[in-house]
Amino acid sequence: MSYKCSRCKRDVTLDEYGGVRCPYCGHRVLLKERGGGIQEVDVE
């Protein structure tokens, strides 16, 4: 799963050991990338 650092805006992939820190700048706030597709919802 890809994330983006909120400080340096670089793409980050998390390691399997749960490290939640940008390897480039050390910032701890990562933003989850959204999918590009459009979802339609049925409204009843």
Side-chain angles (χ1 to χ4, degrees):
M1 190 171 291
S2 70
Y3 293 86
K4 186 168 280 202
C5 176
S6 66
R7 180 183 286 165
C8 69
K9 307 292 189 233
R10 293 175 107 172
D11 291 329
V12 176
T13 53
L14 299 181
D15 60 6
E16 65 245 19
Y17 302 110
V20 184
R21 189 176 290 266
C22 176
Y24 305 107
C25 70
H27 197 59
R28 294 182 60 185
V29 178
L30 302 178
L31 306 172
K32 188 175 179 181
E33 291 288 304
R34 290 185 168 208
I38 298 173
Q39 295 180 350
E40 292 187 24
V41 179
D42 274 343
V43 179
E44 293 180 29

